[in-house]
Amino acid sequence: MRYIFDTFEFDSTSLVLKNNGQDLAIRHNDAKVLKLLLQHSDTVFSKDDILSQVWQDKVVSEQAVFQSISNLRGLFGSHAIKTFSKRGYQWQLKVDATHSDLRDPQK
């Protein structure tokens, strides 16, 4: 799935992020958090939800979630991800989703 928001495009299959058509460097786990938030932009995800879905069976601290959210806010602005006190995080930017693939502009 390809997600388009502001000047960004994100391919959730390849985890490739582009801004104005240019590839952006994004850490693998940050991309997985972004994928989760974009796929379910109407959902508020708790830290535990994010840890279990992104890091799965790996033992990491909650700090990993905080760091990924901070990195994503650094890329997209603090308004992109809202923190709900004692509940979690939710994507806030308007997103258009399409099934085309960023790797092949002909699709």
Side-chain angles (χ1 to χ4, degrees), residues 2-20:
R2 183 172 63 127
Y3 297 92
I4 301 168
F5 51 95
D6 289 344
T7 59
F8 296 94
E9 295 177 56
F10 179 69
D11 185 320
S12 65
T13 303
S14 63
L15 302 179
V16 170
L17 177 65
K18 293 180 180 270
N19 186 12
N20 290 317

Side-chain angles (χ1 to χ4, degrees), residues 47-104:
K47 290 183 300 276
D48 290 338
D49 292 338
I50 296 170
L51 282 169
S52 69
Q53 294 190 46
V54 171
W55 282 270
Q56 297 167 344
D57 296 329
K58 295 180 182 143
V59 178
V60 296
S61 74
E62 292 179 348
Q63 187 61 37
V65 174
F66 300 140
Q67 186 63 53
S68 284
I69 294 295
S70 177
N71 292 343
L72 294 173
R73 284 178 172 153
L75 285 171
F76 309 123
S78 60
H79 60 285
I81 301 170
K82 183 174 181 176
T83 300
F84 290 86
S85 182
K86 308 244 188 263
R87 289 183 48 214
Y89 304 95
Q90 183 183 37
W91 186 256
Q92 297 295 299
L93 302 179
K94 182 184 179 309
V95 177
D96 292 317
T98 178
H99 287 285
S100 63
D101 189 329
L102 288 179
R103 292 170 291 182
D104 184 355

